[in-house]
Amino acid sequence: EMQLVESGGGLVQPGGSLRLSCEASGFTSSNFQMSWVRQAPGKGLEWVANINQDGTLRFYMDSVKGRFTISRDNAKNSLYLQMNSLRAEDTAVYYCARDRQCYMWGQGTMVTVSS
Amino acid sequence: DVVMTQSPLSLPVTLGQPASISCRSSQSLVYSDGNTYLNWFQQRPGQSPRRLINKVSNRDSGVPDRFSGSGSGTDFTLKISRVEAEDVGVYYCMQGTHWPLTFGGGTKVEIK
């Protein structure tokens, strides 16, 4: 069964850092672009970042450029999101999704930025 | 950025009746390869999103055939031919043609 499992969320103070992970199983993630999408409490979906199959091309939404870094380790079938200089407005459930068209999603991991 | 505008915001529907959701993009979603990357997602209460439709009208695996997508260019529609109780949730359109990828604001489908 194909599955994506996120981890690494938690409570962090403004200005702090977190690293999210997403482990893929049931398929070879290196064959696909991968994305991060977030959802603030009670709000809609917002695309955050995307990485191509070999990690050489990365795209970000404007508000996270320079603060967030998407990466992957194909040997581990894993995707990451390093989040620095976190702000209250980054509070959200973060989902990883397979490919640019978000074919499948994980269960999400909650990130809360608060003092 | 491409703005995706969905309507209505809320859609009360009687069980067994049809439902229709509109999604309009601020620019054409036709990609250089000729495909139109417009997707529809369903998010049931407390669950992760699930993709229903890709490239305007292709149903994903396991999606009931009461769901259909149509449209072209900048104007798209998701239709549910006969709403069932399990269809309650929020529906989002998303364009995967232009960076940054963008979602519509969502349409909440509820039973009258």
Side-chain angles (χ1 to χ4, degrees), chain B:
Chain B
D1 298 1
V2 177
V3 177
M4 305 297 290
T5 303
Q6 282 184 238
S7 62
L9 209 60
S10 176
L11 185 54
V13 186
T14 301
L15 286 173
Q17 292 302 301
S20 180
I21 300 171
S22 169
C23 175
R24 288 183 174 166
S25 58
S26 60
Q27 58 184 276
S28 173
L29 299 185
V30 180
Y31 191 54
S32 54
D33 63 3
N35 288 311
T36 300
Y37 292 101
L38 185 283
N39 307 293
W40 288 97
F41 298 87
Q42 174 195 62
Q43 188 174 32
R44 291 171 171 153
Q47 295 188 13
S48 301
R50 167 199 183 194
R51 198 176 75 180
L52 300 175
I53 303 283
N54 68 88
K55 286 189 283 188
V56 181
S57 59
N58 297 291
R59 261 192 313 276
D60 279 293
S61 175
V63 174
D65 60 8
R66 64 179 180 275
F67 290 94
S68 64
S70 62
S72 62
T74 62
D75 210 338
F76 306 94
T77 302
L78 175 70
K79 290 183 179 175
I80 311 174
S81 59
R82 295 172 306 280
V83 171
E84 298 188 4
E86 66 179 17
D87 301 335
V88 164
V90 182
Y91 291 78
Y92 298 92
C93 60
M94 184 206 96
Q95 66 84 16
T97 296
H98 304 283
W99 300 109
L101 309 184
T102 46
F103 288 87
T107 295
K108 187 173 185 178
V109 172
E110 54 188 13
I111 305 300
K112 276 185 188 174

Side-chain angles (χ1 to χ4, degrees), chain A residues 12-33:
Chain A
V12 61
Q13 292 188 338
S17 298
L18 271 180
R19 188 195 195 209
L20 307 184
S21 299
C22 169
E23 185 170 351
S25 59
F27 68 100
T28 305
S29 63
S30 60
N31 292 337
F32 301 94
Q33 296 183 36

